[in-house]
Amino acid sequence: ATSYSNLAMIQQDQRDLSGARENMERAIAIQKKHFAPNHPTFATSYSNLALIQQDQGDLPGAQASIEAAIVIAEKHLGADHPNLAIMRSNLALVQQEQNDLSGARKNMERSIAIKQKYFATDHPTFAISYSNLATMQIDQGDLAAARLSMEQALAIQMKHFGPDHPNMATVYNNLAHIAVDQSNIPEAVTLWRRSYPIRLKALGVFGKIDPHTIWAGVE
């Protein structure tokens, strides 16, 4: 079971998703012969299977697997264990892809609440969490909350990575789109102008593009 599980992880990294899923399901089938259905080993196995199913685009399958993992993990680890923060975050992203925005936001907020019990409020892990939460809030049309979440992500990333880190470009870009949705075009342009040189420095591939074309059509 362990061997098939490890092979599945390698195949997933190689993008052999069909093979990865087949071997992860083999591992689970073997585990079922030796362990009770709620044995803690299944929390890991179902979580790994969910990631493969998500990569395959099997979102209902991924949701079912991660929900099964959460039930088992909560039974053995408790609802506030840091592993549950990861699982609930993964579940939130699957729900978001299926347009279950209420469920996605609830699970991402729950993930953040769990992390807050174990990490300082400005720990780098929160930058990703707040950024993901902001995209869900944007999809819900809750722009004020999305802006606050993205600004929290920005402050954390600025502290740990500095103003020129490539991740900053993504945050500036996301904030710019929020500003557009809020009809604050001047602010959006300012944020895009902050994002552009960071991307240029990090990637270099835009070196021959006139930066003014990035804002063409934005008056």
Side-chain angles (χ1 to χ4, degrees):
T2 302
S3 297
Y4 280 128
S5 178
N6 290 339
L7 176 58
M9 295 294 95
I10 294 170
Q11 290 172 309
Q12 184 181 18
D13 288 342
Q14 293 180 320
R15 309 309 297 168
D16 178 8
L17 300 179
S18 178
R21 180 169 181 168
E22 180 179 354
N23 280 305
M24 187 57 69
E25 288 174 342
R26 284 180 183 175
I28 291 172
I30 294 170
Q31 289 169 343
K32 286 180 177 179
K33 293 180 180 291
H34 298 275
F35 301 113
N38 62 353
H39 191 278
T41 193
F42 287 111
T44 301
S45 296
Y46 286 134
S47 291
N48 290 338
L49 176 60
L51 294 174
I52 296 168
Q53 291 168 316
Q54 184 178 7
D55 285 347
Q56 283 186 310
D58 180 7
L59 300 178
Q63 180 163 340
S65 294
I66 194 64
E67 286 175 343
I70 288 172
V71 169
I72 296 169
E74 285 186 337
K75 177 180 177 64
H76 292 278
L77 302 176
D80 293 334
H81 192 277
N83 286 4
L84 270 299
I86 297 171
M87 292 180 186
R88 289 203 173 274
S89 177
N90 290 343
L91 175 57
L93 295 175
V94 170
Q95 290 173 310
Q96 183 182 21
E97 287 190 70
Q98 295 179 99
N99 207 37
D100 178 8
L101 302 179
S102 177
R105 180 172 178 173
K106 179 180 178 181
N107 277 300
M108 189 58 70
E109 289 173 342
R110 179 69 184 124
S111 174
I112 291 171
I114 295 171
K115 288 181 179 180
Q116 287 173 341
K117 295 178 181 291
Y118 297 91
F119 302 106
T121 55
D122 61 352
H123 190 278
T125 189
F126 288 109
I128 296 173
S129 297
Y130 285 128
S131 182
N132 287 336
L133 176 60
T135 66
M136 296 164 190
Q137 292 164 327
I138 290 170
D139 288 344
Q140 285 186 312
D142 188 354
L143 300 180
R147 184 186 184 95
L148 177 60
S149 295
M150 196 60 71
E151 287 174 344
Q152 287 176 297
L154 177 65
I156 294 168
Q157 291 199 148
M158 182 75 77
K159 177 173 182 177
H160 291 280
F161 303 121
D164 296 327
H165 192 276
N167 287 356
M168 297 296 293
T170 301
V171 176
Y172 284 135
N173 189 61
N174 290 341
L175 275 171
H177 285 292
I178 294 172
V180 168
D181 288 341
Q182 292 180 315
S183 300
N184 191 342
I185 303 304
E187 182 185 27
V189 171
T190 298
L191 289 163
W192 276 322
R193 284 176 172 157
R194 290 179 183 174
S195 172
Y196 175 78
I198 298 172
R199 291 184 184 275
L200 180 64
K201 181 178 179 180
L203 302 177
V205 295
F206 301 116
K208 295 185 179 180
I209 295 179
D210 179 356
H212 292 89
T213 63
I214 298 296
W215 308 292
V218 178
E219 300 294 342

